[in-house]
C-alpha cells in the first residue's frame, strides 16, 4: 500500500480556491482573516486531516528525525528501562526523542498526540492510558489518516491497526500462581489494576488457571484499584483492618501495587498479618537493601529495544507493516 503524502497548505488552497498566502494567514493569524473565509479554510483543513508543521521553516529535508514517545506514567519503574533502550537506539540511528508523560489522563494524552503531529514526528511509540475495550481516544482517526508509523507498547489500544510489543500477561499470572502454590499457600489475596483492564483480566486468568490445577482447596480474593501505589495501599489497609484471618499470600499484579501492599503491612505493624508477598514485575534495586520479593520479571529493556527497532524499520521501509511481539516473563524466586 503506497504511503499517502502529508497534506499541505497548497492542497487546502486548491480546494478553497484561494491563495496559499490567505490560507497560511488563516492558519497562523486567524484574527487577520474574515470570519467566512476562516470558517471555510478550517472546515477544509479538518476534512483533509491537515496537521500544521511546527518545524517546517527549519527542516532541510523531508524528515524531522524525531521519535515521539507517549507513556501513561513515568512514576512506574516499569517504563524507565524501556525508555532508556528506546533513547539509546534512537541516538545510534541519529534520531531524537520527544517524551510525554500523560499521568493517566486521556486529555493529556490527546494534547500530547496533537503536539507530536504538529511537529511531524517520524514515528510514535505509544503506551495508552487505558487498555479497556471501550477506550477509543478522539485522536485515533486522525493518527490513522496522518500515516505516521506507530508501535504500541504494553497496553493494546482496542481497534487500533498498529503493531505492538506486549507482555504475555496470562503466562505471568500462571507462573506466579504456580510458584505461590508450590510454597504451600492456599488462601491468596490478589491486588489488581482496574477490573475492566485487559492486563488485569489476563493476569488474573493465569492465576486462576494455576489455582484450578491444585488438587487441594484454594481461596482467591481480588481487590481492584489501578496500577499505582496509593489505591493498593488503601485497599490493603482496609482489608487487613477488617479481617482477623490473614491470607497466606498477597499477590500484587504490578510492582507499584505490590509496594502499596507492603506499605500497608508495615504501617499496620501487626504480627497477625504476616502473609508472604509475590509480585508481577520486580522492585528495582531491592537487592541493594537485601530485600527480595519473589516475582515474575519482565525484561522491559528488551521491550523498548524491540519497539524502537520495529518503529525505525517501519519509518525507513514504508512497505514494512511489522507484527506483534510478545515477551514472556521469567520467574525469579530469589531476586
Amino acid at each position: 500500500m503506497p504511503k499517502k503524502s502529508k497534506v499541505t497548505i497548497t492542497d487546502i488552497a486548491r480546494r478553497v480556491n484561494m491563495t496559499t498566502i490567505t490560507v497560511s494567514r488563516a492558519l497562523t493569524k486567524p484574527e487577520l482573516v474574515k470570519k467566512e473565509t476562516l470558517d471555510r479554510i478550517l472546515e477544509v483543513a479538518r476534512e483533509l486531516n491537515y496537521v500544521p508543521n511546527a518545524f517546517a521553516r527549519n527542516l532541510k529535508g523531508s524528515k524531522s528525525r524525531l521519535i515521539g514517545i507517549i507513556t501513561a506514567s513515568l512514576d512506574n519503574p516499569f517504563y524507565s528501562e524501556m525508555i532508556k533502550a528506546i533513547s539509546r537506539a534512537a541516538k545510534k540511528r541519529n534520531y531524537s526523542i520527544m517524551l510525554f508523560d500523560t499521568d493517566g489522563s486521556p486529555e493529556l494524552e490527546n494534547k500530547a498526540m496533537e503536539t507530536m503531529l504538529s511537529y511531524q514526528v517520524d514515528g510514535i511509540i505509544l503506551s495508552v492510558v487505558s487498555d479497556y475495550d471501550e477506550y477509543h481516544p478522539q485522536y485515533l482517526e486522525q493518527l490513522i489518516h496522518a500515516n505516521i508509523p506507530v508501535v504500541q507498547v504494553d497496553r493494546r489500544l482496542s481497534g487500533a491497526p498498529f503493531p505492538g510489543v506486549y507482555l504475555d500477561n496470562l503466562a505471568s499470572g500462571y507462573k506466579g500462581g504456580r510458584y505461590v502454590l508450590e510454597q504451600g499457600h492456599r488462601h491468596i489475596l490478589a491486588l489488581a489494576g482496574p477490573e475492566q483492564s485487559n492486563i488485569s483480566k489476563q493476569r488474573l486468568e493465569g492465576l486462576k488457571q494455576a489455582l484450578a490445577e491444585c488438587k487441594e482447596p484454594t481461596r482467591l480474593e481480588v481487590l481492584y484499584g489501578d496500577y499505582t501505589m496509593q489505591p493498593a495501599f488503601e485497599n490493603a489497609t482496609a482489608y487487613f483492618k477488617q479481617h482477623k484471618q490473614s491470607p497466606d499470600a498477597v499477590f500484587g499484579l504490578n510492582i507499584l501495587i505490590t509496594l502499596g501492599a507492603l506499605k500497608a503491612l508495615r504501617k499496620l505493624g501487626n504480627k497477625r498479618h504476616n502473609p508472604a508477598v509475590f509480585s508481577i514485575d520486580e522492585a528495582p534495586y531491592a537487592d541493594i537493601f537485601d530485600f527480595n520479593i519473589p516475582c515474575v520479571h519482565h525484561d522491559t529493556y528488551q521491550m523498548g529495544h524491540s519497539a524502537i527497532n520495529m518503529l525505525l524499520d517501519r519509518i525507513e521501509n514504508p512497505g514494512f507493516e511489522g507484527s506483534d511481539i510478545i515477551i514472556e516473563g521469567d520467574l525469579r524466586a530469589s531476586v
Side-chain angles (χ1 to χ4, degrees):
M1 180 178 176
K3 185 176 180 178
K4 297 178 184 178
S5 58
K6 293 183 175 71
V7 176
T8 67
I9 61 172
T10 303
D11 299 316
I12 299 173
R14 290 197 189 105
R15 177 74 72 87
V16 298
N17 196 27
M18 300 177 192
T19 67
T20 56
I21 294 174
T22 301
V23 173
S24 177
R25 184 179 296 125
L27 296 173
T28 58
K29 298 180 180 180
E31 69 276 8
L32 301 180
V33 180
K34 292 181 180 178
K35 184 179 185 305
E36 296 79 8
T37 301
L38 177 62
D39 290 345
R40 175 59 180 152
I41 290 171
L42 293 179
E43 179 184 5
V44 171
R46 284 192 293 269
E47 290 175 358
L48 296 177
N49 287 294
Y50 171 76
V51 178
N53 185 356
F55 274 1
R57 295 180 180 177
N58 298 322
L59 289 177
K60 295 181 180 179
S62 59
K63 290 187 176 182
S64 65
R65 311 301 298 186
L66 275 175
I67 299 296
I69 305 174
I70 295 180
T71 179
S73 175
L74 287 177
D75 291 336
N76 191 336
F78 176 91
Y79 291 107
S80 59
E81 287 294 303
M82 184 177 72
I83 293 171
K84 185 189 296 183
I86 294 169
S87 178
R88 287 176 176 174
K91 288 176 184 176
K92 287 182 180 178
R93 304 274 280 272
N94 197 30
Y95 285 87
S96 299
I97 65 169
M98 179 182 288
L99 174 63
F100 285 87
D101 175 10
T102 60
D103 202 24
S105 164
E107 292 77 18
L108 290 178
E109 183 176 274
N110 189 64
K111 289 181 180 178
M113 189 62 71
E114 287 180 357
T115 301
M116 288 187 178
L117 291 175
S118 73
Y119 276 85
Q120 298 210 351
V121 296
D122 290 331
I124 295 172
I125 292 177
L126 175 63
S127 180
V128 290
V129 301
S130 171
D131 68 339
Y132 296 8
D133 290 334
E134 299 77 17
Y135 181 59
H136 301 290
Q138 62 187 75
Y139 62 75
L140 180 57
E141 185 176 349
Q142 184 183 19
L143 184 58
I144 293 171
H145 286 296
N147 236 15
I148 295 173
V150 177
V151 171
Q152 301 182 89
V153 289
D154 187 35
R155 300 175 181 179
R156 189 189 299 268
L157 179 56
S158 178
F162 317 120
V165 183
Y166 308 105
L167 301 176
D168 191 337
N169 291 298
L170 189 146
S172 294
Y174 179 78
K175 288 179 180 179
R178 285 288 301 270
Y179 173 81
V180 169
L181 289 169
E182 288 168 1
Q183 307 312 301
H185 307 310
R186 298 295 181 263
H187 178 192
I188 299 169
L189 173 65
L191 297 176
E195 187 171 4
Q196 301 90 344
S197 164
N198 284 307
I199 293 176
S200 282
K201 291 177 183 178
Q202 292 159 9
R203 293 181 177 182
L204 284 173
E205 183 182 349
L207 174 57
K208 290 174 182 178
Q209 283 185 13
L211 295 181
E213 294 174 3
C214 183
K215 296 180 180 179
E216 300 176 15
T218 62
R219 180 183 176 191
L220 174 65
E221 296 181 88
V222 181
L223 299 179
Y224 293 99
D226 64 21
Y227 292 113
T228 61
M229 187 185 302
Q230 188 61 26
F233 166 72
E234 293 171 357
N235 285 340
T237 299
Y239 176 92
F240 286 116
K241 284 182 177 180
Q242 293 169 9
H243 294 78
K244 294 181 179 180
Q245 182 67 34
S246 174
D248 300 331
V250 172
F251 193 107
L253 263 63
N254 85 346
I255 188 55
L256 291 182
I257 291 173
T258 305
L259 292 175
L262 287 168
K263 180 181 177 182
L265 290 168
R266 182 177 181 181
K267 180 181 179 181
L268 291 170
N270 192 331
K271 293 182 180 180
R272 182 183 66 195
H273 297 303
N274 190 29
V277 176
F278 184 88
S279 179
I280 293 183
D281 298 332
E282 67 178 295
Y285 310 118
D287 57 325
I288 295 176
F289 304 99
D290 196 27
F291 181 70
N292 295 327
I293 305 171
C295 68
V296 173
H297 166 263
H298 295 123
D299 190 341
T300 53
Y301 192 92
Q302 178 193 353
M303 195 173 190
H305 193 263
S306 298
I308 185 62
N309 283 337
M310 186 194 300
L311 183 67
L312 292 174
D313 285 343
R314 296 195 69 204
I315 292 171
E316 297 171 6
N317 301 286
F320 176 70
E321 294 292 332
S323 57
D324 289 351
I325 296 173
I326 307 299
I327 294 177
E328 190 168 329
D330 61 281
L331 180 68
R332 295 192 175 180
S334 180
V335 184

